[in-house]
Amino acid sequence: MVYIITALSVILIAAIIMVYRWIHLKVDLRYPPLANSAISYPDYPNLKFAIISDPHFYARSLGDCGPAFEAYLLTDRKLVKESAELIELAVNEVLQSDAEVILIPGDLSCEGEMLSHLGMAKALSRLKDNGRRVYVVPGNHDINMLHGAVSYRGIETEPAESISAEQFADIYRDFGYGDALYRDDYSLSYVASISKRLWLVAIDTCRYRDNTSDVDHAGSKLTQPFIDWLAGILKKAAEQGIAVMVMIHHGVVEHWSGQGKLHPDFLVEDHLRFNRFLALAGVRLAFSGHYHAQDIALADYKENGFIYDIETGSLITPPCPIRYATIEENKIKIRSVNLIEKLCPGSTFTEEATAFVQKTLEYQIINTLRKYLVTDQDAQLLSAYVAKAFLAHLIGDENSEFKPIFDPSQLSLWGRLVYARQKKMIEGLWTNLPPDDLNTTLDLKVR
């Protein structure tokens, strides 16, 4: 009887929270009717480029040992200590390729530290010095990190200097901001002319202006002035017969069934209407990051257009991927390369790093499950199972044949109720929604 009353109470509370969130998160934006103007869908010109996402460069002079630093490492699934080595590997890898352009959709620094940004810009300068063009956009870990930007000194942490939006644009002036064709007055969004027939619209939707000393916001925010600016850019491109692709930190298309409900902060605000707005304007390619997963998702509006969200996993989260993309004959060929094996060749580092990611995922999941009042034993059983689902999604091309068998009868009655509520989410993580995630060719012709 107690379990039934508790279950009903939780369901009631959940319903109240859902109604509150629907009211609170409802977005009142007006999208100009671009589809009713003289919008054309120009072919994408040929291009060879690379995508490196979420490198989270960390300046080790901020501290790389001690209890405080080790405690921080347990809170996230990143190889923070190895970030500098991984970006050096990525730069070397790209310089050996024929990629003309490199896109980096956000989270260039670990936690927005000035020293980390300066180190990242220095690393990217090698690409520029070798004739490659690099374009960046901020992520939620990059600007005004009043809470997260710290240095580590033994058991203590001390505030570290973070940067403002203006400083971000200045530090990365050689990587998109200095020669932008257009800049938005309301964000760090800009337009880069990749070629005579192709524009890159780098979109900044991060909430760094809302950060406080207690909270660094991970989610996104759209404003009417930005939407109006973007509509103007898309209209100009259409009138001139120029194809457009976008780069944005937050995802524009849901990457697994339930992501929008469980993890809305990883998708752009109002993502359903926003991606439809882009598709109607003829944008068929969006390059995102943030979720640290290798995944490609499609929003298909049939005769009204479609858009692929090509999400690239974090450079410092195993398997430490980068992507290569080639556009030819209005098709894009995607190839993924993992750098984890190249970091410490001949050692067991790859296995150890993957186990570390599994451990940090379990740690995060246990903390979440505690909010549901599950027992410690139930939390341990569920976290190991759910972590494997997340790991499969992070790597990409999820194969449900490798899904471990889970026996809910091992759980208490309350644990089984919690599992039943989250089962659909777990199944969603194990489901590889089309198209393939790692190596694939996508047709960009409007149907």
Side-chain angles (χ1 to χ4, degrees), residues 18 21 254 256-264 267 271 424:
M18 287 177 66
R21 288 185 63 184
E254 193 175 50
W256 53 273
S257 180
Q259 184 185 25
K261 292 181 179 179
L262 189 69
H263 288 158
L267 295 171
H271 69 278
K424 187 175 180 181

Side-chain angles (χ1 to χ4, degrees), residues 10 141-142 247 253-254 334 381 388 407 421:
V10 170
H141 282 269
D142 285 328
M247 173 174 66
V253 179
E254 193 175 50
I334 304 289
L381 290 169
K388 285 183 172 63
D407 182 7
R421 180 172 174 79

Side-chain angles (χ1 to χ4, degrees), residues 162-175:
S162 185
I163 67 170
S164 66
E166 293 75 19
Q167 288 173 314
F168 184 93
D170 183 58
I171 291 171
Y172 297 104
R173 60 187 175 276
D174 291 335
F175 311 112

